[in-house]
Amino acid sequence: MIQPPGHLRTAPLQGETTSSLICRVASRYGLEAKVLRSCWHWCNPQPKRGGGGARPDADVLLNAAGRQLLAGLCGVREDVLARALPSWGQQDARLGAKEDGVPAAAWRIGGAVVGPEAFGCRLCAARRTGTAVQVVRYAPRWDRVCVWHGRWILDADADQPREHLDVRNLPEMVGAQRRWTGVARRAVRAGAEPERVFALAHAVVARWWEQALHWERETIWPRRLHQVAGGDAGSEFEWWRIMGRDAVVFPEVVAVADALLDPGMAELVWVDSGAGRPRALPADGMFCRRLGERVGRAWLGPLAATDHGGPLIAWMGAVIRRRRGAGGPPGYADDPWWVRQEHQPVTMAGQLRVFGKEKRAPGSGTMWRAVVPPEQRARISSLIDSAEEQLVQLHGVQSGPTADVAWQLLRGLAHSAGLIEAAWKRTAVAAVNGGVPLEEVARWADMPAEVLRSMLTSGKQDDGG
């Protein structure tokens, strides 16, 4: 173990990870980070990226002696560090095994300790410290815009080299971040946790993002995406869709969160449901129409209203059940801000892992996502989700006059069958276009090869209504 060098003051940045601070202290003393880290006894190895190299989102937990040592190296009091570093007081069972007085440390993935981690703005770090060094900090997803330098700060847990996206030509990004402060206050007044309201709004808009590939009238998001890609996403379009999603949709996420907290919007849901005379939610309902207007897309209402099985319809259902008092005991099903696991968007890191795996796979036709265009995948998923929601709605109709029940069942089943058939045809065509032998796909689909060949040559696929 090396002896600690002299004492040069290194002030922490608000929200910084302890690991990030240690790296900056090492730089201050002219040392490599691994040399300074030898001042502590480490209980476990440093987490690495899949392709090698240290993970930027790995944080450090220290025992009492370890915290005292770092405070001395920084020349900063421990109470100041405790206020600035969210992981400062966190504990790890492995640290308790070391005898008193031995500075000990344990590596942990920061997202499992405190919450989401992002890179800091190097220009802001330079303004505060005099050196444009890498900084990693804990930052909620509504606080990712550097208003001083027009940067969207990226997640630190993804295996990719970029730290930020340029949003200087997108003033709506800064405006959305400033508006979020008021939305968060409204959430608190309504008895809701701002974090959960944001998570639900993000799930709703992220689902729209996936569907928007076949929205012919969508022009706002493509413009923003090309902007954050430096002017043109070009041949790396799908990679940029992963990198840019959270930045591009951020203004709509804030707008949706604001709308879902509006009592007037909840009243529209109640009216659309038939109020005292329950009915199925209509495709032209006032709530979804107004929601589309609030996100700057007057045409979006019917698309949002018919996205059965998504987080928005789930929220509407919870609002209706609460208003009718028809729910069971208090729980997740009646909590409008609960985001089901299947509705939670895949993170940028998760999407990049899948994307990279598909690109590295031998043979371009071996991985579904690598050969099937994203708009085609989105359409198949939408058809399956719609069919599922239609079938779920039929569970409660088997009571009443025989003619009425039979009419509802047959109409619902016929519509669901049409949706499933459309998804089935699109899947078969996508598989053949992706390189799977036509005869094999025809056998899996239980259809004559000639019929499948005819579908391919004609290019006709039923959209299922």
Side-chain angles (χ1 to χ4, degrees):
M1 179 181 295
I2 70 169
Q3 294 299 315
H7 296 279
L8 297 175
R9 191 173 190 278
T10 306
L13 301 176
Q14 190 61 40
E16 189 174 10
T17 68
T18 304
S19 174
S20 174
L21 177 61
I22 290 175
C23 290
R24 290 200 301 111
V25 171
S27 177
R28 186 90 163 91
Y29 287 113
L31 299 172
E32 291 186 15
K34 63 180 180 181
V35 175
L36 184 62
R37 284 197 292 261
S38 67
C39 293
W40 288 268
H41 173 87
W42 291 88
C43 301
N44 59 331
Q46 184 177 9
K48 301 292 184 181
R49 283 176 162 170
R55 287 186 58 158
D57 65 325
D59 202 359
V60 173
L61 304 184
L62 305 172
N63 66 356
R67 291 193 292 270
Q68 185 177 10
L69 172 60
L70 181 56
L73 292 171
C74 292
V76 177
R77 297 196 319 269
E78 286 194 46
D79 62 315
V80 174
L81 294 174
R83 288 194 296 271
L85 308 179
S87 62
W88 181 256
Q90 300 289 332
Q91 300 296 319
D92 188 287
R94 290 166 291 193
L95 295 174
K98 298 307 297 176
E99 57 269 26
D100 291 341
V102 176
W107 288 104
R108 293 283 299 278
I109 300 303
V113 176
V114 177
E117 287 178 86
F119 294 104
C121 174
R122 289 194 182 226
L123 297 179
C124 288
R127 188 178 62 178
R128 290 282 306 278
T129 68
T131 307
V133 296
Q134 183 183 86
V135 174
V136 180
R137 67 187 184 97
Y138 291 99
R141 300 193 187 281
W142 57 79
D143 184 24
R144 295 297 179 86
V145 181
C146 173
V147 299
W148 298 102
H149 302 108
R151 293 178 168 184
W152 175 272
I153 307 302
L154 291 168
D155 293 344
D157 62 347
D159 192 359
Q160 59 83 34
R162 291 178 175 270
E163 296 183 12
H164 70 273
L165 301 176
D166 187 347
V167 296
R168 285 175 295 178
N169 293 321
L170 298 171
E172 62 266 37
M173 311 298 287
V174 174
Q177 184 160 293
R178 288 172 173 162
R179 284 198 304 275
W180 169 253
T181 304
V183 176
R185 285 197 297 264
R186 183 177 301 169
V188 173
R189 289 197 300 269
E193 299 174 28
E195 298 86 353
R196 301 183 68 213
V197 174
F198 186 90
L200 176 62
H202 184 257
V204 170
V205 179
R207 187 172 173 98
W208 290 348
W209 173 257
E210 294 303 319
Q211 298 168 347
L213 285 167
H214 57 266
W215 288 353
E216 295 180 358
R217 301 178 67 178
E218 177 56 48
T219 59
I220 299 173
W221 285 343
R223 175 183 60 81
R224 284 191 203 144
L225 182 62
H226 289 300
Q227 284 277 2
V228 301
D232 185 3
S235 60
E236 297 184 308
F237 177 74
E238 189 158 5
W239 186 83
W240 276 109
R241 283 196 87 247
I242 296 172
M243 292 291 295
R245 180 196 66 184
D246 290 347
V248 170
V249 305
F250 180 55
E252 285 74 22
V253 172
V254 174
V256 169
D258 190 29
L260 298 185
L261 287 166
D262 186 342
M265 294 292 284
E267 183 65 26
L268 293 181
V269 174
W270 175 243
V271 173
D272 287 341
S273 72
R277 303 182 64 182
R279 66 180 182 185
L281 292 170
D284 60 346
M286 291 187 293
F287 168 78
C288 287
R289 186 165 66 248
R290 189 70 55 81
L291 183 63
E293 294 169 356
R294 291 181 70 148
V295 296
R297 295 160 176 83
W299 46 266
L300 180 59
L303 296 175
T306 55
D307 180 25
H308 303 295
L312 182 62
I313 299 296
W315 177 85
M316 296 169 70
V319 169
I320 294 166
R321 288 192 296 274
R322 277 193 167 190
R323 185 70 177 265
R324 289 178 180 159
Y332 291 122
D334 294 318
D335 181 356
W337 308 115
W338 174 50
V339 181
R340 301 173 187 171
Q341 185 173 0
E342 63 268 25
H343 293 158
Q344 294 174 10
V346 180
T347 64
M348 181 180 76
Q351 292 183 84
L352 287 176
R353 282 194 294 270
V354 173
F355 183 77
K357 179 181 178 182
E358 292 167 350
K359 290 300 181 184
R360 292 191 300 268
S364 62
T366 58
M367 301 300 291
W368 175 262
R369 288 174 58 92
V371 296
V372 180
E375 60 271 14
Q376 183 75 338
R377 299 197 309 267
R379 185 57 183 152
I380 291 171
S381 296
S382 177
L383 289 166
I384 293 171
D385 289 343
S386 296
E388 179 184 19
E389 182 65 21
Q390 287 289 323
L391 291 170
V392 168
Q393 291 182 6
L394 295 179
H395 286 171
V397 304
Q398 297 197 55
S399 62
T402 303
D404 291 347
V405 172
W407 179 78
Q408 292 184 65
L409 282 173
L410 290 173
R411 278 179 58 89
L413 289 169
H415 185 50
S416 298
L419 294 168
I420 293 171
E421 182 178 6
W424 168 74
K425 289 180 179 179
R426 283 181 174 271
T427 301
V429 170
V432 175
N433 288 339
V436 182
L438 183 143
E439 291 75 14
E440 197 164 359
V441 175
R443 179 167 55 82
W444 296 340
D446 193 23
M447 66 187 303
E450 294 75 15
V451 175
L452 179 56
R453 184 176 290 106
S454 176
M455 288 169 50
L456 286 168
T457 55
S458 68
K460 294 180 179 178
Q461 296 150 43
D462 182 14
D463 281 343

